[in-house]
Amino acid sequence: MTSSGTKTTVQEWIAHDPDPQTAAELSECSPEELDERFARSLTFGTAGLRGPLRGGPNGMNLAVVLRTTWAVAKVLKDRGMDGSQVVVGRDARHRSDEFARAAAEVLAAEGFEVVLLLAAVPTPVVAFTVRHMHAAAGIQITASHNPPTDNGYKVYFEGGLQIVGSTAAEIEAAIAEAPFADEIPRAVVETGGMSEIAHYVERAANVRRAKAPVRVAFTPLHGVGGEYAMDTFVRAGITDVHVVEKQFAPDPDFPTVSLPNPEEPGATDALLELAAEVEADVAIALDPDADRCAVGIPTPDGWRMLSGDETGWLLGDFILEQVEPGEVMDSTVVASTVVSSRMLAAIAAAHGAHYVETLTGFKWLSRADDDLPGKTMVYAYEEAIGHCVDPAAVRDKDGISAAVLVCDLIGVLKEHGRTVLDCLDELARRHGVHTTTAVSRPVADADEAAAVLARLRDTPPDRLAGYEVTVTDLSTSDGPLQSDALILAGGDAETSVRMVVRPSGTEPKVKSYIEVRRDCGNGDLQTARAEAQRVRDELVALAEQW
């Protein structure tokens, strides 16, 4: 049964809900459903707030947006940033327009100078605009690649950097003090920001340096990236682009895919079919808010999508090849996360650049060079197809500028009679075969995720694929990698194995990130890859039991 405390909270929430639809929805919920919706509020995860569109504090709705924005304003004021500029944007999901306008109106009523972007925009446009305008903060209404029933609220502070845990905690504390949603003042805001959107497109196009022709198959997966990417391609001189027509226009229901995530099986089937049909050089898929970029390539066995790690190796090496050796290279930083492949570290070492490993998420990657005076980050990536290829402009993952750089790479390779597969083979010979994958275990909520990690901490495996295991519990670390994650690692002179287990910061899942490295030695790549994949499959079977 619903507790008396919860009843009071529900009654107050419904009485002050500014949206009659969600108020009525809550009034019809069972006591058990109300307990679930009011047991906890949405909290800031890896990339902000995300949740289902529904009433109550544990969903995305108008009341949550109003109270969260009031809290953001309070934190900014507490830091002495009264009256400063704040950028507000949104994607094309259900209710994104309404939520963005509500957030802008709260900020305006609190005395901030608000730039409410006039159209649905990719998330990196907001990150760019905050940085370019030297704004105090930015808010993007988006749930990225989550199901169509979700929406979310992403916050950037100064420099266009995602907020970290300490700031998120301040905002969450302020939310607890926020007035009832219908008592929060709002002021009318006009839309604008057209010039900033144009600046973003121009900057993203300038990522391309070579001008070799390239044929592209492209899909924005029903998201907001389609027109922006096409404008950027044209400005970059990439004109031979073929689009998946049925997926080009924004559609919040994502009708042609089961999940609007380029990493999901089947999501890029239409793209790869088009790529084969038009004999493209490369296939590119953006996720719905266009901050992530997935890449497909032709192979002797047909088209396939690259993993985020494979794309990360290729772009990292491509960027470092263009950095001047010596002092310039010594001051150059590349970064990836604790759950990403170790190969970028080897690539950086071979070039003489500095490598940084961070926690999962671009709120950490964007700060990878913070404690390195005199050094500057030029590239960062995470295995979940997130790539930051122009950190000076966008300190976040940016699918559109990454797509432009991928086309640049493909064009350069074509000019030299080489392919992506040739590049991957060359990297494997230099640094060893690296085989990666991830296993996701769905959980009901954060409590079940914590229980899975607790069991693994209490009884970790003593061997991985026959190799003795060293366990590193990042929850007990006092360094920059402190987090709720376990690293299991082992190996010998020829083979190393590694698994990182952590709860997802955006979805109800526990994820196991697996990497097997196999030294090629004087043997052939095919044999090394086969052995690495055999070991990887053993680790996948183990992770599926947890």
Side-chain angles (χ1 to χ4, degrees), residues 141-159:
I141 304 298
T142 180
S144 190
H145 56 279
N146 276 39
T149 51
D150 287 3
N151 213 324
Y153 187 107
K154 191 170 187 176
V155 181
Y156 297 94
F157 268 21
E158 190 174 2

Side-chain angles (χ1 to χ4, degrees), residues 321 410 412-420 422-423 426:
E321 283 180 346
I410 298 297
V412 170
L413 290 175
K414 280 185 63 180
E415 278 192 323
H416 291 86
R418 302 175 65 217
T419 68
V420 167
D422 294 333
C423 277
E426 184 178 325

Side-chain angles (χ1 to χ4, degrees), residues 58-103:
N58 197 22
M60 276 298 297
N61 53 70
L62 182 59
V64 165
V65 169
L66 293 171
R67 299 181 79 243
T68 301
T69 308
W70 183 92
V72 170
K74 180 180 186 303
V75 170
L76 289 172
K77 288 182 174 183
D78 289 347
R79 297 185 179 188
M81 306 188 82
D82 313 52
S84 55
Q85 201 168 52
V86 181
V87 179
V88 179
R90 48 99 179 178
D91 65 12
R93 283 178 175 267
H94 292 295
R95 304 196 70 181
S96 284
D97 188 12
E98 175 192 359
F99 291 167
R101 183 166 292 279

Side-chain angles (χ1 to χ4, degrees), residues 50 79 108 147 167 216 351 365 393 415 437 442 448 478 502 517:
R50 287 189 196 171
R79 297 185 179 188
T167 301
V216 183
H351 282 283
L365 282 171
E415 278 192 323
T437 192
E448 185 180 353
D478 57 2
R502 61 178 283 274
R517 180 195 177 278

Side-chain angles (χ1 to χ4, degrees), residues 313-346:
W313 308 334
L314 293 164
L315 293 182
D317 191 56
F318 185 55
I319 288 171
L320 289 176
E321 283 180 346
Q322 300 172 53
V323 176
E324 183 181 337
E327 291 185 8
V328 177
M329 184 67 79
D330 185 56
S331 66
T332 295
V333 175
V334 295
S336 61
T337 70
V338 68
V339 301
S340 300
S341 167
R342 307 298 88 199
M343 189 188 276
L344 184 62

Side-chain angles (χ1 to χ4, degrees), residues 151-152 193 278 290 296 335 352 461 495 518:
N151 213 324
V278 302
T495 304
R518 179 78 176 180

Side-chain angles (χ1 to χ4, degrees), residues 36 45 76 192 265 365 378 381 404 460 466:
E36 193 275 326
L76 289 172
L365 282 171
V378 299
Y381 92 92
V404 171

Side-chain angles (χ1 to χ4, degrees), residues 78 190 245 326 381 387 543:
D78 289 347
E190 297 298 323
E245 295 289 352
Y381 92 92
H387 304 276

